[in-house]
Amino acid sequence: MSLTDWTSLAKIGCRIVRQTPTRLLWKFAWNFGWRNLWNMRSFEKRSAKGKKFFPAFVMISVTETCNLRCSGCWVSAGGKKALSNEQLDGIITSSKKQGSYFFGILGGEPLMYKGLLDVFKKHDDCYFQLFTNGTLLTDDIAMQLRELGNVTPLVSIEGLKDESDRRRGTHEVYDRSLRGIRACKKAGLIFGVAASICKSNYEELVCREHIERVAREGAAYLWYYIYRPVGANPKPEVALDREQIRSLRLFLVEERRTAPVALIDTYWDDKGVAMCPAATGMSHHIGPSGAIEFCPPLQMACENINDTGKNAAQLFKDSQLMADLRVMTAEQSRGCILMENPNRLAQFLKEHNAYDTTSRQSVLEEYSRMVSVPGHDMGDEAIPEKSAPYRWLKKNYFFGFGAYG
C-alpha cells in the first residue's frame, strides 16, 4: 500500500472542502455517501438471500429533447417523449421505499425538462447526478443547484474545440460547455466532467494534460466512458480497438494514484476484471417513455410505468425481461453485449417480444445492422487497481455481486 495513493486522495478532498460550502458537503456526505453505502449493503443482502429484485440505483432519462445532435447518441433526434413530473416523482418515491436514494438523471438534455429542479427540491433527502452537456448551465441555474445542495452536475466534454463541434453537430460547443463548468465552480458545486472516448478524441482527452485542465476548472471528478456506436448515426469506425481499450485501462490505473481529480470508471472491478453494471443488477434504467429498460442505450422493453410512476419498484421486481437479460448478458461476456454481440441481443429481444421505446421506432433494425466492436472485457489480461483507496471503493460500490457465477 503506497502513501502516495492516500496523499493524492487527501489533496483532492482538501481542494473540494476549500471550494464547496459546508451545507453542500454535508448533503454529499449524508445523502450520497452514507445513504448510498447503506443501500449497496442492502442490495448485496437482497441478492445473496434471493429476495425480490430491485436495482441498487435507478438511472432516469427524463426527456428525449436535446439542443445538440451528437453522433453515436442513442436518443432520438427531434424526439418529444418525456416523463411527466408526476411520473418522475413517483419513480423516486417508489425507489426510496426500497432504500434507494441516489439517481442518475439523463436526457436528451435534462435541463430542457420543465419542473426538474422542483422535483429535486421535493426530494431533498436524495442525491442526484445530473448528466448534462453543460450548454444550458447558466450562473442562475448553478446558483439554484447550490441552494438545493443535493445535485452533482456531470458535464460532458467530448473533445476540444474542433472535435466537440464534429461530435456535437453544431458550433462553439466546447466554449459553451466550459461556461457551464465555470458556473458550477463559481457556485461552489461538487461537479464532474465526463468523456466518451473514441478514436477521434483519444489523444486529446486520454492524457495528463486533460486531467490537469479539468482540475484547474474546479471539477471534483473526471469520468471516462468507452464510446458505444449506437443510435441512428452510430459511426462504428471511431470505436476503440482492443489495444486502445487496454491502453485506456492502463492510463486510468496509473494516473489514478496521483491525479488531482478523482478518476472514475464503472467498467472494471478492483481486480481489473470487466463487469457490466446492468448485468450485476446494480443499475437499470427508466426511459423518457416510462419504459423499464436494461441500461440507457438498450431502448427495448416489455413494461411501462403507469401515469403516477408509483409502480416502478414492482415492475423491476416482476420484470421477466430484466431477469432474463441479466442472465443472458452475464453468460455472453463480462463486457458490453451491445458492442460485442448486437445480433444476439437483437435475436433475444425478438424472442421476448420487446418493443421499441423511442420516437424513431427503428431500434431493432439498428441493432440488426450493428457490427461487433471490442468491449472492455480483456479476459486474462485484466489489469488490477493499484490505488488502495479506489480498490476499496470498487469493492464496496462496484462489486460484481455474483452475477457471473
Side-chain angles (χ1 to χ4, degrees):
M1 185 182 299
S2 172
L3 183 61
T4 302
D5 302 340
W6 297 98
T7 301
S8 176
L9 187 64
K11 287 181 179 178
I12 296 169
C14 288
R15 178 169 63 82
I16 294 170
V17 168
R18 285 196 303 269
Q19 70 185 34
T20 308
T22 302
R23 187 175 61 85
L24 273 65
L25 291 170
W26 171 251
K27 283 274 192 178
F28 176 80
W30 182 259
N31 286 17
F32 175 75
W34 173 249
R35 284 191 184 276
N36 203 35
L37 182 61
W38 183 262
N39 176 41
M40 293 299 287
R41 291 293 167 271
S42 299
F43 173 76
E44 269 190 282
K45 290 177 182 178
R46 287 198 305 271
S47 301
K49 293 179 180 179
K51 290 186 176 181
K52 277 283 191 177
F53 172 83
F54 187 79
F57 62 90
V58 180
M59 310 287 282
I60 309 169
S61 289
V62 294
T63 181
E64 286 184 315
T65 304
C66 189
N67 60 333
L68 301 179
R69 294 290 181 269
C70 306
S71 60
C73 180
W74 53 82
V75 180
S76 298
K80 301 297 182 184
K81 291 188 177 185
L83 297 171
S84 68
N85 285 175
E86 185 179 12
Q87 285 177 314
L88 179 57
D89 175 67
I91 293 166
I92 296 168
T93 300
S94 178
S95 299
K96 284 161 62 173
K97 290 179 180 178
Q98 307 302 312
S100 182
Y101 288 81
F102 175 67
F103 302 88
I105 304 297
L106 307 88
E109 172 48 55
L111 287 176
M112 297 184 76
Y113 178 83
K114 293 181 180 179
L116 182 62
L117 271 58
D118 292 332
V119 175
F120 292 163
K121 183 177 181 179
K122 180 176 180 180
H123 296 280
D124 64 351
D125 54 347
C126 295
Y127 206 79
F128 301 93
Q129 187 172 45
L130 181 67
F131 292 71
T132 174
N133 60 47
T135 61
L136 304 178
L137 243 175
T138 61
D139 286 348
D140 179 61
I141 293 293
M143 290 305 293
Q144 290 183 60
L145 295 178
R146 174 189 172 116
E147 182 64 27
L148 292 170
N150 62 342
V151 182
T152 176
L154 179 60
V155 181
S156 176
I157 297 289
E158 297 304 323
L160 302 185
K161 290 189 177 184
D162 292 342
E163 177 63 14
S164 284
D165 287 355
R166 283 193 294 268
R167 284 281 296 277
R168 302 297 207 169
T170 187
H171 302 294
E172 298 183 357
V173 180
Y174 178 75
D175 289 337
R176 290 158 61 196
S177 296
L178 203 57
R179 285 196 290 271
I181 287 172
R182 289 170 179 169
C184 290
K185 182 180 182 181
K186 183 179 178 181
L189 300 179
I190 297 173
F191 70 95
V193 173
S196 176
I197 302 302
C198 62
K199 288 179 178 176
S200 57
N201 67 10
Y202 191 98
E203 295 298 326
E204 289 184 344
L205 302 184
V206 184
C207 59
R208 183 72 181 203
E209 183 181 2
H210 183 60
I211 293 174
E212 293 177 352
R213 179 188 304 121
V214 166
R216 285 195 300 272
E217 296 293 347
Y221 57 101
L222 174 56
W223 198 323
Y224 282 100
Y225 305 101
I226 293 173
Y227 176 82
R228 278 157 171 70
V230 295
N233 183 25
K235 293 194 174 180
E237 65 274 11
V238 300
L240 298 180
D241 59 38
R242 193 163 300 281
E243 183 54 37
Q244 286 173 316
I245 292 173
R246 185 176 186 279
S247 295
L248 174 61
R249 172 63 182 163
L250 274 171
F251 170 81
L252 289 169
V253 166
E254 294 296 336
E255 293 292 339
R256 195 132 45 203
R257 306 185 71 187
T258 60
V261 296
L263 297 184
I264 308 296
D265 72 78
T266 54
Y267 295 122
W268 296 280
D269 67 15
D270 60 296
K271 298 179 180 64
V273 178
M275 61 170 286
C276 166
T280 66
M282 186 173 73
S283 172
H284 285 319
H285 179 248
I286 297 178
S289 68
I292 301 292
E293 298 173 349
F294 193 63
C295 62
L298 209 166
Q299 299 173 295
M300 301 285 290
C302 287
E303 299 92 8
N304 263 67
I305 60 171
N306 59 23
D307 290 342
T308 68
K310 292 180 179 178
N311 66 334
Q314 196 59 49
L315 290 178
F316 276 122
K317 291 178 180 180
D318 295 341
S319 173
Q320 193 60 51
L321 177 64
M322 294 298 102
D324 290 349
L325 270 170
R326 288 193 295 274
V327 173
M328 188 273 286
T329 53
E331 289 175 345
Q332 288 285 312
S333 167
R334 295 188 66 109
C336 175
I337 192 169
L338 257 176
M339 300 176 73
E340 297 173 1
N341 200 346
N343 292 330
R344 173 69 185 102
L345 177 62
Q347 178 188 359
F348 178 91
L349 293 168
K350 286 180 184 177
E351 292 168 354
H352 282 68
N353 296 313
Y355 53 82
D356 190 327
T357 65
T358 69
S359 290
R360 64 186 184 277
Q361 291 295 296
S362 59
V363 169
L364 196 58
E365 180 186 350
E366 292 164 12
Y367 291 170
S368 299
R369 291 198 310 265
M370 284 173 64
V371 296
S372 297
V373 297
H376 58 281
D377 186 354
M378 298 187 294
D380 294 337
E381 296 182 343
I383 302 169
E385 290 295 337
K386 292 185 178 180
S387 166
Y390 208 77
R391 277 202 307 272
W392 185 90
L393 287 169
K394 281 289 183 85
K395 286 181 180 179
N396 288 276
Y397 283 85
F398 301 119
F399 187 63
F401 304 114
Y404 301 97

